Amino acid sequence: MALKRVKMNIDRVLDKNLQDLVRGIRNHKDEESKYISDCLDEIKQELKSGDHQAKSNAVGKLLYLQMLGYEISWAAFNIIEVMSSSKFTQKRIGYLTASQSFHADTDVLMLATNMIRKDICSSQMYDSGVALSGLACFTTPDLAQDLANDIMSLMTSTRPYLRKKAILLMYKIYLNYPDALRPSFPRLKERLEDTDPGVQCAAVNVICELARKNPKNYLSLAPTFFKLMTNSSNNWMLIKIIKLFGALTPLEPRLGKKLIEPLTNLIHSTSAMSLLYECINTVIAVLVSISTDLPNHTTSVQLCVQKLRVLIEDSDQNLKYLGLLAFGKILKSHPKSVQAHKDLVLQCLDDRDESIRLRALDLLYGMVSKKNLMEIVRKLMVHMEKAEGTTYRDELMNKVIEICTQNNYQHVVNFEWYVSVLVELTKMKDTQHGKLLADHMMDVAIRVVAIRKFAVGQMAILLENSHLFAHNSQRKGICEILFAAAWLCGEYAELLPNALESLEAMFKPKVTSLPGHVQSVFVQNIVKLYSAIIMKAEVDGDEAKVREVGQILLDKLPMFAQSSDLEVQERACSALQLLKYIHKLLDKGVPVSEEVSFLFAGDLNPVAVKAQKKVPIPEGLDLDQWINKPPSKPVEVQNKASIFSSGKDDSVLRGESEKKRRKAKELSEEELKAQREARLQAQASNPHYLKLGGPSPRKAEKAEEIINVDDIPIETLDIGMDIEMSKGLDGLASSDKYYLEAMNAEKSKRKQKRKEGKKGKKGKKKSSAAVASDDEITPTHHVSSVVDMPEGMTAADSDNEDDDQKDEIIKKLDINLDEPLRDDEKLPTRQHRVEGTHVLPEPVDNGSAILEKKKKKKKKEKSSSKQAKSERSGSKSLSAELAQAGIIDTPSSALDLLSPPDTSSSTVESAAARLTNGSNDASPNTSKKEKSRDKKKSKSSKRHKDKSLYEVAEGVTTPSKEHLSGTATPTNILDLSSLNLTNYRKLAADENLSMEFEARVSMQQANTLVVSVVFENLNSSCTLKSMDFNILDSMNTKLVRETSDTAVKVPFELMPLVRNEAQFVFSVQSLSLPQKLKGTLVYILKDQEGSSQQKLDFRLVIPCRDFLVAVPCSADSLAQLLAPEGQLTAKYSKRLTVKTDFKTTLAKLSFYAHAHVVEQMDNTASLYASSTQGHHVCLLVKLQGELLSIDGKSSDSSFLSNVIDEVTELLK
């Protein structure tokens, strides 16, 4: 032993610690992966050692490697071993690693429940703290359900450190197990008045997070929070409370009226910008919920706007962003208050931070009116010319269009001005909003009839200069404007000043470099223009012109027929065939213009946005069904398709090849110098770029030498509009012309009003009325709102598909907290199993009320009765509490509807107190006979009398006497202790070892089964160690192992005459048949003479009834399941003879079948149970004399028959 200890000490000294690992990784940068793989091999060896310090050192290194991205899930069991260490330093490493690497799918978490409970209930404060902190990171629904009661008990701990951590952890418990909210809410409510400010702040945080999802459930806490808000000086807690009031105010408007004054006082007095911002946000929410037209609230709005202006003018970019964000919220309810600060918002457009510029753009969208639209758009376009970067310039262009088109062109008075704005936007270089411009150009020309002639004239000029747009042939580029130009010129050809010139403009050589969809529109509208030209020529009697135009088309249309785009080819070929047929008719002297015009007769209206969704699906049409069989070899088809087309337009391919050729060219010194200047300029204007100290004189001299002032104007001219394009588009209208006309008209109106104002009081009244109506300027043109919809549908039809759905967790947490607790809402508590001779000891930390003295009981009863009286006297409705706190006026019926029912809060408190003690609390009406019977049982079980006989195993194998969630012990049957019932069954035994097992299931994990095996050493002189438990897996049931095809090691040794329990997890696919598995247990028998290996074969049989769970069910729900049209189609019956009374028989049946007794009348009863995979089982039991009949219905016939057969065998 001494040599072994010396060797372990030497190995510990030679082991690498975390610092050595980090140092080694830095020294092996070239071979980092190889070095880490070697370290992982060393770590695996350290984990196999028996030294806890070496294991914790290895787990610490694994934590660092996990942070680097390496997978460490294979060491989950070793992490739990370190978590179970008795030393805090090692335990902390284990929990930290678990919080980083464990997740909901980690299998070993189910086995760590008892260990985590032991740490949570530890007498050492920091052991409990580290367990609570770790559990918050890897909480699962099962852990939340099993440990909720233990965590809830810590909410009343005498140590504020534990109370605070327990309260914060309860929020994670609520998310994973929402049923814990109602039982624990009274204690959480009590912590709002805790003496420790940290605990109080934690309770406020948890309730505010819950109220953010379902605020209406927490309206009853308004008096408490109002008191905290007026008395607390903790800014962070005030922020949370004020946020909560912002969510509660829309539910109770009278609450908002009382909040205005304290919030206004906070805005005046606080120096914390974060608290100021939240106060302003809440004031805005309050003003939205109450009547905002009252004169008292205008001062509050002005105060908020003034404070926000201070934030926006601050040099801190974060405060400026928040100020603009709050401006947007005020703009929705009080637009005039924000419009007065238009100049400040426009100044933000020149800010270096792009996020602030974008937020200012969003504000301008809501500040626009008919009066200032032209001015704002003009400033935005001037700003667009100076903007750096195509992304921000595109965003500016998008915002200009959104501002003009909002609410169906509500603020546009002069549409000629708007068309000129769209045309001017086409001059912007390298924009990606060409399609957007084209769409809106077509929209305004189609919907505003009076503007069509002007718009078509502008489009004709763009077509004549189409060669200027052909250089940018990318999709969504500026060339997309030619799509709208060609379509409008063809659709409204009669409005063109010279249709023949527009027709010839569509045949320019560079047109073929445009994208395919633009060329296809060109071909289509060439035919439309041809139709309009020959119609006019035939009316004038000019047959020569008809033939001349037709010949032009026959000569130039083949250029489109040779296009690589299939759509362009098809349209060009169709147009050529149509022209040849027309020429044949012309040769015969037949007039064709009228017939050709019929091809394009009728007006085209815009299609509604939701028109496609409104199209009814024809009967018999299955949109999910394949029209043709899917291709068997998709790879070959894909290769064949790539032969014909590469999926891109030829223009796009040519553009990409040109870019590659440009990149291949070597840059000259001048180009490198220009790039360097651009980079330095971008760095100087970027607020996120970290700059060093001031430049040295030498660097400043070099910088002056590099920058050439003469070159700067040339570079800036290329940023905004294209020079060549602006020169070629001389005939286009300018928006400045219409802006100056509007300004001159405004000045003349003001002069006229001043003259009228001098005529006296009547004149003043008239002028003031005129000023008030200045904003109501009538538009010069009418905007059509006609859109195409499917037959029988209108645009106002409801569309339920767009409705937002609540998250499932939010739905589960939508709980009425004012109702008293019901019996079925108790949290799962630790309790004794009713097992006859196989009673295992309860956990050490279980506070059983049976062991308490009578004096303590009497004191508790007195204190509880006093507390109940005080609570009954102090319990009031919600309206009374709000009125007493000064939040609202006299209570009315509106708040009475929100108040809880007239029940004393002591009911909730007593129910929560009962949940803490669970079923271990002794009933006050327990008879003396039952107590004497319990004493006799404890004396008869000498083997289990002393807990010191058990070996306290580390990790996962502490003896467990608490039920898992959904265990099979029925709660609605009388005391079963006299029946001597047990779920433990014998598994195998030899002269040294005995094994018994019990199967447990959980409704949260449908395909998981936990088998709890009790190992008992029958030998009085030998120790059993190195026990390997193995199962031969079947296709349906498999043992969950750490590695595949290996036995599961039982993590404890058995001293002579000692029992201990271990749990093994199985995955099960189907539950219809009993699970029969073969297994072996290999162990080493060690005595004074030596050691020998033993083997014990066994057969594990898991009946179908073990997969049932007693789920509470009402009589009405059971009647719906048993209805003829219900889903229970399988039936099965069984008859047998019993010699016990009906009460005893029903108790046994409920126990063995894990069923809930729904209803009982005389010798007839109905029971209900559900399997973990959702199989409903309904049983009707009747006893006539000694003949017992069991009739069952279920959704699975084989499962039902097996369950009834298994239960009847146990009842015989």
Side-chain angles (χ1 to χ4, degrees), residues 335-359:
K336 292 184 179 180
S337 300
V338 181
Q339 286 175 359
H341 302 272
K342 180 183 61 178
D343 297 335
L344 178 65
V345 177
L346 289 173
Q347 289 177 9
C348 294
L349 293 176
D350 297 326
D351 197 277
R352 295 179 300 172
D353 193 346
E354 186 175 348
S355 61
I356 292 177
R357 296 200 299 264
L358 295 177
R359 185 56 60 189

Side-chain angles (χ1 to χ4, degrees), residues 19-33:
Q19 293 179 352
D20 297 332
L21 176 65
V22 175
R23 192 180 296 111
I25 292 175
R26 292 177 178 176
N27 294 334
H28 294 79
K29 292 183 178 180
D30 297 335
E31 298 179 351
E32 181 178 332
S33 58

